[in-house]
Amino acid sequence: MSAYVETARAAYQPPAPGEGLASVVPAALLALGGRLPEGIPAPTWSLPPTRQVVVVLVDGLGARQLARRSGHAPFLRTLTSPVPDAHCGFPSTTATSLTSLGTGRLAGDHGVVGWQTGLQGGERLFNHLAWRDGPTPELYQPHRTLFQEAGRLDITMTSVSRKMFDGSGFTRAALRGGGYRAADTTAERVRGVLGALAEAGRKGRALVYTYWDEVDKVGHVRGPGTLEWGEAVEAVDSYIATLAQAAPKGTVFVVTADHGMVDAPVAQRRDLAAGDPLGQGVRLLAGEPRAPQVWCEPGAVDDVAALWRAELADDAIVLTREELLESGWLGPVREGVAERVGDLVVAMLGNATVMDSSLLRPEVVRLVGHHGSITDAETAVPLLVHQS
């Protein structure tokens, strides 16, 4: 075992089987009287038995940020947590985490290994969320989702989310299965969730997944420590409280998130497009600014790794693909997934970021809040439960 692998294992361990974000929907299925498909571990925690479960995923609502700003969440702070120290997997980013939520698996198994990856061995940048000109979603992520499993168990499954996500490539890969209620405004979301609960099938069992993205947007644009972020939390807190009050008696709500966030000052940004020395030997930079994945020029991996380790020093952990897999950060790695990982994978430890602005939209370059790495601020997520 190399010293870099030892450092990686000491710095971060992914959620154990049955723990963390990937255990949320398995717990919901069991609470509804269902069973888990082969290969999905039983959660180490449980929800009260019920006929209706609503999973609320609040994008960007990190547990550490929420704890600091709990005054903006009068309803959420009254809820209990069966897992006080829940975490998402690595990388701590929406594409990876939502696929873990939908499949009950970590990144190495489901294969969505970051926000962006390099297809054809790093020849082309591919954004998992946008899924433009991408591979067939059902082949790229071949596991049946837990939403599909709910239907098999005679549990009425419904997603309530933005219209633009209905039938998208990413939705098909990560969250396929069940019905879909398009809802963009708060009022539409409330009607969507309550309507889905009211239309449970012959056994009266319903699982509803509802997604809220405004907290993440504000965190990226303004920063997770701003007044605007607190106001965004107030809005989702009111939404969840309204749902809980109006839902049928006995409905169980699980509130969680896909990642946290850190403030990443522009002064600490490394930009390969601006001539930063880190660009030497780099063919393609993918991943996310807090967890870059580097595809190197042929034969340059060792030199690029040495350069990045020297340049970033204590501000990052720099691993080769092989070291990353040995570290276990991605969990078990399914055949064909390793090639989706860069020659190097970097976890930023302070508040710095690394990007290639020539490959990013201007609005992405301007963002001040970022996530993706292994820090507690980025990986710790709330797991809160309420029963109406």
Side-chain angles (χ1 to χ4, degrees):
M1 183 189 302
S2 75
Y4 298 108
V5 173
E6 291 181 354
T7 298
R9 289 184 175 179
Y12 172 75
Q13 287 291 322
E19 297 182 358
L21 182 62
S23 68
V24 169
V25 179
L29 292 178
L30 293 178
L32 289 164
R35 62 184 181 279
L36 301 181
E38 184 177 354
I40 303 299
T44 59
W45 56 283
S46 62
L47 295 171
T50 182
R51 300 178 72 80
Q52 297 180 316
V53 176
V54 178
V55 175
V56 184
L57 191 292
V58 185
D59 198 325
L61 187 68
R64 303 300 176 250
Q65 295 81 44
L66 178 59
R68 288 197 300 268
R69 310 297 293 279
S70 62
H72 293 274
F75 179 72
L76 292 181
R77 70 169 181 257
T78 68
L79 306 189
T80 59
S81 176
V83 187
D85 197 28
H87 287 72
C88 65
F90 175 81
S92 52
T93 194
T94 299
T96 301
S97 290
L98 291 192
T99 312
S100 291
L101 179 85
T103 64
R105 303 169 188 268
L106 295 179
D109 195 359
H110 63 60
V112 179
V113 295
W115 173 42
Q116 300 180 113
T117 188
L119 296 182
Q120 291 91 47
E123 291 295 328
R124 179 166 72 87
L125 189 66
F126 174 59
N127 184 317
H128 285 113
L129 292 179
W131 213 279
R132 294 189 184 94
D133 301 319
T136 302
E138 294 83 0
L139 299 179
Y140 190 84
Q141 193 299 99
H143 296 295
R144 284 178 58 84
T145 73
L146 296 174
F147 293 178
Q148 291 175 305
E149 193 65 25
R152 210 182 239 183
L153 298 171
D154 208 10
I155 297 169
T156 301
M157 168 64 215
T158 309
S159 294
V160 179
S161 190
R162 290 193 180 275
K163 182 178 181 180
M164 65 184 293
F165 302 142
D166 187 7
S168 71
F170 177 71
T171 297
R172 287 165 55 194
L175 304 166
R176 60 183 179 265
Y180 196 100
R181 287 176 175 253
D184 291 317
T185 68
T186 301
E188 289 171 344
R189 293 168 185 174
V190 171
R191 289 195 298 270
V193 172
L194 297 180
L197 292 175
E199 294 179 3
R202 62 186 180 87
K203 291 189 176 181
R205 300 189 299 179
L207 173 62
V208 180
Y209 161 72
T210 178
Y211 173 74
W212 185 282
D213 59 354
E214 284 90 334
V215 174
D216 181 70
K217 290 179 179 178
V218 172
H220 278 303
V221 174
R222 299 294 185 182
T226 60
L227 175 62
E228 290 90 344
W229 192 89
E231 292 172 342
V233 171
E234 290 176 9
V236 73
D237 184 82
S238 175
Y239 165 65
I240 299 169
T242 298
L243 288 177
Q245 184 176 15
K249 184 175 177 57
T251 301
V252 172
F253 287 83
V254 185
V255 181
T256 189
D258 51 350
H259 56 76
M261 192 173 290
V262 298
D263 282 298
V266 174
Q268 296 185 43
R269 175 186 298 166
R270 308 287 297 262
D271 186 358
L272 275 58
D276 192 284
L278 291 175
Q280 298 176 35
V282 174
R283 183 157 52 105
L284 179 72
L285 189 68
E288 25 268 303
R290 291 284 299 164
Q293 296 191 30
V294 185
W295 271 265
C296 303
E297 298 290 354
V301 174
D302 291 343
D303 290 340
V304 175
L307 174 64
W308 281 58
R309 285 165 177 161
E311 284 283 324
L312 297 176
D314 294 337
D315 288 336
I317 297 174
V318 180
L319 302 173
T320 65
R321 177 189 294 121
E322 293 73 21
E323 288 167 341
L324 175 77
L325 302 184
E326 188 179 352
S327 76
W329 282 9
L330 300 180
V333 179
R334 172 172 55 84
E335 183 178 358
V337 170
E339 65 193 37
R340 302 176 188 178
V341 177
D343 295 318
L344 303 179
V345 176
V346 182
M348 305 304 293
L349 300 179
N351 292 90
T353 53
V354 180
M355 64 175 62
D356 182 345
S357 61
S358 69
L359 300 177
L360 303 174
R361 290 177 288 115
E363 54 267 35
V364 175
V365 175
R366 291 193 294 267
L367 298 179
V368 298
H370 287 277
H371 53 82
S373 191
I374 61 172
T375 71
D376 191 57
E378 293 162 275
T379 60
V381 296
L383 206 164
L384 306 172
V385 175
H386 171 79
Q387 187 164 25
S388 297

